[in-house]
Amino acid sequence: MDLEMKTLCEPEGVEVNTQPFVLIIFGGGGDLSQKKLLPALYNLFKLDKLNNDAYILSYGRRERTQDQYRELVKTSIERSLQGGKASIEDSFLEKFNYLSGDSEKLEGIDEINKYICKFKDIKKYQIIFYLATPPNLAENILNLIQKLELCDKPFKKKIVMEKPFGIDTVSAINLNDNLHKIFEEEEIYRIDHYLGKETVQNILFFRFGNSIFEPLWNRSFIDHIQITVAENIGIETRGNFYEKAGVLKDIIQNHMMQLIALVAMEPPANFEADCVRDEKVKIFKSISIMSEEYMEENLVLGQYGTGKISGENVVEYRDEKNVDKDSNTGTFFSGKFHVDNWRWAGVPFYVRSGKRLDRKLTEIVIVFKTPPLKLFGNACRDMLANELVFSIQPEEKISLSINMKYPGVENYPHPVEMNFNYSKLDTISLTAYERLIVDCIKGDLTLFSRQDGVEEMWRVLDPIVAYFNKINFKFPNYSAGAWGPVKSKILLEKDGRKWRI
Ligand code: BG6
């Protein structure tokens, strides 16, 4: 059963503030820039959502000429288009300049100043600093930014900070203090690209734009919740970063916590940035801190071994580039979380995430309680619980499973699905990074994290990280292409439940 979108009113086209800007990307040649940022800028350009007066200065450690950097921009975009070569317009490539330097040695200050000063009417531009770099470089880069003379000039300035913001609570607080020496809170965009995904935003629309689900959205009707952020890719070229971050700091502290908050939060007073963020912070605060005994029973850490992905043999994590041969870093995590508030007390949130799993799959499953009576006496099968699934990847889709009578004389209940698939819509939706870049230019902070939220997320994660750090794991403990260690399956089975996939 498919659901179609009815057009009751023509939505007005998204008004994009195409204010002129100068974007200074630190880590402009890095993995994140190549995979997400540069393709997003190009798509915005193609959709005519970038002002003609948009200029980008990329800063990176590696020596490159302007031409070499523009070639890198081109190949990154071509790779993202997956269709091989594309003719990337020169007018786009000419927006880019490259500066090589080592932020630790504060190199490049004069060059950045000169670059900015050459714009005639500098006041009409906003300057956006983008830290597409691992957390350990943030302090150096902030020192460098603080020394730029341009910070005393009267233009609008902003900073985008990639996740993870810090590496624990203490470092997140220090980083924030340093940021505030240069930027006001409303100039700080702590990015988590999951919040820019269309289906992720739709969780709030679905919950608070309909009156039929919200009355059921609580411990009386919901049995449990499952959240999966699975990838089949390994760590690719990011060994240096990943060894320090692991799945806990790369995904659970940020993307996963945000997904939990969107499912669990109360309706905000309005849809303004601070009201939405206030509600999310309340959820982070309600997530109970786990004791070691609890963690031993209810959390699973894994690391991938060799195996097959899409029919191809792949190496184990410890054989990846820039990874320690005895690495204890987790590439898989699953666990049972609790949101201890009035609405959710007693409802488990099972979460899992990992690299080199069976497939790419991001989904949230709301599993409702089964009906109180097994009324259909002749039924030979159990009735399945109603499940509401927010599929975020690979498809953007929402589906609801309900039980119907299977035609015939027998009383067979049979589950059917109602589906709404975004791909069926005849509209262009922005990818997560495109949406968030636009929001940053416009000055809309709703989809960005606030400092108190970041600290609360670390408050939950710090004890988990500390607990796992004490254990000397016998890794690898799952084969590439599986769904993580067997213990992750048992985690649900011992509660009489199972992962949807
Ligand atoms: C990033 C992580 O934040 O998200 C990566 O650093 C991960 O390790 C990526 O691969 C997944 O993003 P997406 O949008 O492909 O699910």
Side-chain angles (χ1 to χ4, degrees):
M1 208 184 300
D2 281 349
L3 300 183
E4 279 174 23
M5 184 170 261
K6 288 188 187 157
T7 312
L8 293 181
C9 61
E10 261 325 309
E12 288 168 24
V14 186
E15 180 81 35
V16 176
N17 181 341
T18 54
Q19 242 179 309
F21 66 84
V22 178
L23 177 63
I24 302 181
I25 309 177
F26 291 91
D31 181 79
L32 175 78
S33 293
Q34 293 194 41
K35 273 208 203 132
K36 306 271 191 191
L37 215 46
L38 301 173
L41 287 166
Y42 181 64
N43 287 341
L44 289 174
F45 169 82
K46 289 296 274 184
L47 293 169
D48 215 12
K49 291 191 190 299
L50 279 195
N51 193 289
N52 284 342
D53 278 330
Y55 298 95
I56 300 126
L57 176 65
S58 275
Y59 180 104
R61 205 180 277 237
R62 195 173 297 175
E63 293 271 349
R64 292 183 175 99
T65 62
Q66 303 300 346
D67 284 347
Q68 282 168 339
Y69 186 70
R70 287 176 185 176
E71 196 50 40
L72 177 141
V73 174
K74 208 167 153 208
T75 44
S76 307
I77 295 164
E78 284 172 351
R79 226 177 290 133
S80 78
L81 297 174
Q82 286 168 355
K85 296 257 174 258
S87 53
I88 313 293
E89 294 80 345
D90 285 344
S91 55
F92 177 73
L93 295 173
E94 281 158 11
K95 292 184 174 299
F96 287 86
N97 276 286
Y98 184 76
L99 172 64
S100 63
D102 182 345
S103 57
E104 202 178 341
K105 297 188 188 138
L106 298 177
E107 284 170 0
I109 294 183
D110 291 345
E111 287 86 345
I112 298 178
N113 276 333
K114 248 187 251 155
Y115 176 82
I116 300 287
C117 292
K118 77 172 194 269
F119 291 99
K120 289 219 173 64
D121 185 4
I122 187 69
K123 276 190 214 147
K124 81 174 183 187
Y125 293 88
Q126 48 176 316
I127 314 280
I128 305 174
F129 299 97
Y130 197 123
L131 270 62
T133 45
N136 60 325
L137 295 183
E139 300 294 347
N140 293 335
I141 297 172
L142 287 181
N143 279 342
L144 189 152
I145 294 176
Q146 197 172 15
K147 297 210 162 54
L148 295 174
E149 287 162 26
L150 54 93
C151 290
D152 301 327
K153 300 225 171 76
F155 48 68
K156 261 201 199 155
K157 62 184 188 313
K158 291 176 181 167
I159 186 160
V160 184
M161 303 288 298
E162 268 294 338
K163 47 113 308 220
F165 188 90
I167 52 167
D168 56 17
T169 310
V170 174
S171 62
I173 294 173
N174 288 341
L175 180 55
N176 191 50
D177 289 347
N178 287 340
L179 264 174
H180 277 276
K181 289 181 191 149
I182 318 173
F183 298 93
E184 301 297 328
E185 180 61 28
E186 61 277 8
E187 295 173 332
I188 304 172
Y189 291 73
R190 299 177 190 84
I191 199 167
D192 180 318
H193 79 279
Y194 265 55
L195 294 177
K197 290 180 189 274
E198 203 60 62
T199 330
V200 172
Q201 293 166 52
N202 209 16
I203 298 169
L204 292 190
F205 279 75
F206 186 92
R207 290 188 54 199
F208 305 131
N210 298 296
S211 52
I212 56 175
F213 295 105
E214 201 46 31
L216 310 179
W217 212 263
N218 57 54
R219 59 196 298 270
S220 304
F221 296 94
I222 292 179
D223 179 73
H224 72 280
I225 286 164
Q226 300 181 8
I227 308 183
T228 297
V229 178
E231 297 180 277
N232 53 5
I233 56 169
I235 52 147
E236 302 182 311
T237 53
R238 301 164 73 215
N240 283 329
F241 162 77
Y242 203 86
E243 272 286 86
K244 293 196 194 88
V247 61
L248 291 170
K249 298 182 187 177
D250 189 35
I251 302 280
I252 306 298
Q253 189 269 344
N254 30 79
H255 301 329
M256 187 62 84
M257 296 293 282
Q258 292 290 349
L259 295 178
I260 294 176
L262 291 172
V263 170
M265 68 187 253
E266 294 301 314
N270 60 46
F271 209 53
E272 278 167 17
D274 274 333
C275 287
V276 174
R277 300 192 297 180
D278 285 345
E279 295 307 330
K280 288 207 278 184
V281 174
K282 285 189 206 158
I283 293 299
F284 301 141
K285 284 188 173 160
S286 313
I287 298 181
S288 26
I289 298 296
M290 303 165 190
S291 66
E292 294 210 347
E293 295 70 46
Y294 181 91
M295 292 195 260
E296 196 180 336
E297 272 295 296
N298 295 291
L299 304 186
V300 181
L301 198 71
Q303 187 189 80
Y304 61 82
T306 55
K308 273 196 192 312
I309 298 283
S310 314
E312 301 279 322
N313 290 326
V314 296
V315 298
E316 65 176 65
Y317 176 73
R318 288 177 176 180
D319 280 341
E320 300 274 16
K321 202 171 156 216
N322 295 326
V323 168
D324 195 301
K325 289 281 167 243
D326 300 315
S327 173
N328 229 9
T329 299
T331 60
F332 176 93
F333 170 82
S334 65
K336 178 159 68 163
F337 283 42
H338 287 280
V339 177
D340 282 331
N341 64 13
W342 199 261
R343 190 191 276 259
W344 294 112
V347 179
F349 284 62
Y350 298 99
V351 305
R352 68 178 164 170
S353 177
K355 300 262 184 211
R356 285 284 189 232
L357 299 186
D358 176 71
R359 66 188 92 150
K360 173 123 183 133
L361 177 80
T362 308
E363 67 172 26
I364 298 171
V365 189
I366 315 291
V367 184
F368 289 90
K369 294 191 168 167
T370 42
L373 273 184
K374 199 173 164 191
L375 198 55
F376 308 108
N378 292 336
C380 64
R381 336 171 168 183
D382 281 339
M383 282 211 292
L384 298 178
N386 301 119
E387 286 179 353
L388 177 66
V389 183
F390 294 92
S391 305
I392 295 159
Q393 288 170 136
E395 277 185 299
E396 297 210 283
K397 191 171 118 177
I398 296 178
S399 52
L400 176 66
S401 71
I402 44 180
N403 291 306
M404 308 284 278
K405 181 180 181 303
Y406 194 79
V409 287
E410 312 287 353
N411 280 332
Y412 287 160
H414 184 75
V416 292
E417 262 192 9
M418 291 206 282
N419 287 316
F420 167 66
N421 197 322
Y422 264 89
S423 65
K424 300 234 166 103
L425 286 185
D426 192 17
T427 59
I428 299 170
S429 60
L430 300 182
T431 64
Y433 269 90
E434 290 159 28
R435 164 70 199 254
L436 294 173
I437 292 170
V438 167
D439 280 4
C440 171
I441 299 169
K442 281 188 348 190
D444 183 347
L445 280 156
T446 314
L447 300 178
F448 295 84
S449 302
R450 205 172 53 194
Q451 179 64 14
D452 49 351
V454 171
E455 286 171 25
E456 285 301 328
M457 293 190 272
W458 279 122
R459 184 191 58 87
V460 177
L461 259 289
D462 282 352
I464 301 180
V465 173
Y467 168 70
F468 282 129
N469 277 347
K470 283 199 280 193
I471 301 175
N472 206 355
F473 284 98
K474 283 203 180 72
F475 283 156
N477 58 357
Y478 70 96
S479 307
W483 280 104
V486 182
K487 248 183 115 183
S488 169
K489 198 165 157 249
I490 298 173
L491 175 72
L492 269 74
E493 283 176 357
K494 63 188 183 196
D495 290 348
R497 302 177 172 118
K498 61 179 190 172
W499 293 104
R500 192 182 86 94
I501 290 179

